[in-house]
Amino acid sequence: QVQLVESGGGLVQAGGSLRLSCAASGRTFSSIFMGWFRQAPGKEREFVAAISPSGASTRYGDSVKDRFTISRDNAKSTASLQMSMLKPEDTAVYYCAARSGGLYTTPNRYDYWGQGTQVTVSS
């Protein structure tokens, strides 16, 4: 079992930055793949980014590439998502997720989920 708790969401103006964090517990953090997803009202859950256990490999969704950066600190059992050049269309609930193996981009590949944190970008 893995428990995930997101933090860092809020309201930010377009063009601004925000950093989300995901604190994990319950399993050796350094052995699990971490992902970030988001879901806007009326839309499907969308892949944002994923990172391998060592942090050496990452993947990004096309809509956030070159603006968002995923990272992790295995010593602190946390994963982070640095978001820059935010746009109103980035407004969504952001979720962190975990799985045992593979940098997958589909939500149904992930076994554990946090409760989500709201990010609102005003124009």
Side-chain angles (χ1 to χ4, degrees):
Q1 287 287 340
V2 178
Q3 292 78 44
L4 303 172
V5 179
E6 302 96 336
S7 61
L11 174 64
V12 63
Q13 288 189 330
S17 299
L18 206 58
R19 186 178 182 88
L20 304 183
S21 294
C22 176
S25 61
R27 185 171 168 179
T28 303
F29 183 73
S30 59
S31 68
I32 58 177
F33 288 73
M34 298 296 298
W36 284 95
F37 291 79
R38 67 187 183 185
Q39 189 165 19
K43 295 189 176 181
E44 294 186 353
R45 195 163 293 193
E46 176 189 14
F47 171 73
V48 175
I51 189 167
S52 62
S54 69
S57 298
T58 57
R59 290 184 72 175
Y60 293 92
D62 289 340
S63 61
V64 306
K65 205 170 294 184
D66 299 325
R67 298 189 298 123
F68 291 10
T69 301
I70 189 171
S71 61
R72 65 190 296 157
D73 185 337
N74 287 344
K76 295 182 179 179
S77 297
T78 59
S80 298
L81 184 69
Q82 178 67 46
M83 305 184 293
S84 303
M85 296 181 287
L86 283 161
K87 305 174 182 179
E89 50 263 44
D90 293 319
T91 295
V93 177
Y94 283 71
Y95 299 90
C96 69
R99 59 166 287 114
S100 298
L103 284 174
Y104 289 98
T105 63
T106 52
N108 61 7
R109 289 284 194 169
Y110 286 77
D111 302 309
Y112 307 101
W113 292 84
Q115 82 288 350
T117 186
Q118 176 71 46
V119 172
T120 302
V121 184
S122 63
S123 56

